Amino acid sequence: MMIKEKSLREKSIVFIGFMGVGKTTIGRLVAQNLYRSFIDIDEQIEKKFQMPVPDVFKLLGEPAFREKEKELVNKYANQSLKVISLGGGAFMQEEIRDVCLNNCTVFYLDMPWDSWKERIHLLMADRPVLQGRSLEDIEELFYSRQAAYASHHSKVTIGKDSPEEIADYITNSLKTAWKLYE
Ligand code: S3P
């Protein structure tokens, strides 16, 4: 049986990037703009395990979290017409990178370290990966993840614009690409 390749317009859109750059907020807005359903992978993991992400790490361990993350990304990235936000660590798994890059349009939300570190106090409490680490360790983690995030289809650098402005920019650039390539 021949498997028909999805058109660019049909493909789901995936947001990647470091913790706390706004993947969920921007993803939700882009989904609204495009009348698509929005899937937040962390939220799906919480539903499956019936507990918040920090409890999953504490009670079940990071490997159980990563396994469920892989299973759910595989499920949704194979579907069409969704907008999906991934957790910041998801793209470290090769299988997740492959399924997203082969089936979806992947947007990297990039933020320079100097801007990101200003927001760290907002993130510490519910990001188990940051807890117990010094600022130097977190900076190392930040830069060590750039190599995985470098695999994407499109990149937006987050500066002073509001989430609404960024979402509108992404929506318009998607619509332009759909027109151009089809
Ligand atoms: C993680 C990022 C979090 C969440 C979990 C692990 C990571 O998602 O998946 O705490 O390893 O970077 P956000 O990127 O939405 O904060």
Side-chain angles (χ1 to χ4, degrees):
M1 193 181 76
M2 279 268 291
I3 298 176
K4 188 176 154 277
E5 231 218 276
K6 285 191 201 97
S7 70
L8 196 58
R9 193 183 284 270
E10 271 177 309
K11 286 184 177 190
S12 288
I13 295 144
V14 168
F15 287 103
I16 63 164
F18 204 61
M19 277 162 270
V21 298
K23 300 179 294 288
T24 301
T25 309
I26 292 167
R28 205 182 289 284
L29 290 165
V30 171
Q32 273 168 21
N33 286 347
L34 295 172
Y35 303 97
R36 291 188 178 198
S37 27
F38 174 66
I39 310 290
D40 182 74
I41 295 296
D42 283 343
E43 205 180 285
Q44 295 295 323
I45 295 171
E46 292 182 331
K47 264 197 205 148
K48 286 277 174 197
F49 286 129
Q50 295 280 301
M51 60 178 100
V53 168
D55 288 355
V56 179
F57 271 71
K58 199 160 61 195
L59 302 174
L60 307 175
E62 183 168 350
F65 176 88
R66 297 298 174 198
E67 208 39 52
K68 188 58 75 187
E69 182 173 52
K70 186 168 71 187
E71 182 190 314
L72 288 163
V73 176
N74 258 312
K75 172 178 164 185
Y76 289 110
N78 276 301
Q79 298 179 6
S80 305
L81 298 167
K82 303 267 181 292
V83 176
I84 308 165
S85 288
L86 266 48
F91 242 47
M92 303 308 111
Q93 301 195 59
E94 191 181 358
E95 206 179 317
I96 292 187
R97 285 200 300 277
D98 288 347
V99 72
C100 292
L101 291 163
N102 292 332
N103 295 285
C104 308
T105 302
V106 177
F107 265 89
Y108 169 33
L109 299 184
D110 183 30
M111 186 182 275
W113 166 254
D114 283 337
S115 316
W116 187 85
K117 74 173 192 297
E118 301 300 320
R119 304 160 63 124
I120 195 168
H121 61 283
L122 302 169
L123 307 171
M124 268 333 237
D126 54 1
R127 300 306 196 287
V129 171
L130 300 180
Q131 281 156 21
R133 290 192 197 237
S134 66
L135 190 63
E136 289 71 36
D137 287 350
I138 296 173
E139 184 173 7
E140 203 182 307
L141 179 73
F142 183 94
Y143 284 111
S144 72
R145 286 188 167 179
Q146 306 291 314
Y149 300 148
S151 304
H152 57 256
H153 298 114
S154 202
K155 174 172 117 168
V156 177
T157 299
I158 313 273
K160 299 245 177 296
D161 293 334
S162 69
E164 286 75 13
E165 286 167 325
I166 298 165
D168 288 350
Y169 169 79
I170 292 170
T171 308
N172 291 333
S173 66
L174 277 165
K175 287 183 177 167
T176 306
W178 293 343
K179 271 200 204 119
L180 268 175
Y181 295 109
E182 280 165 29

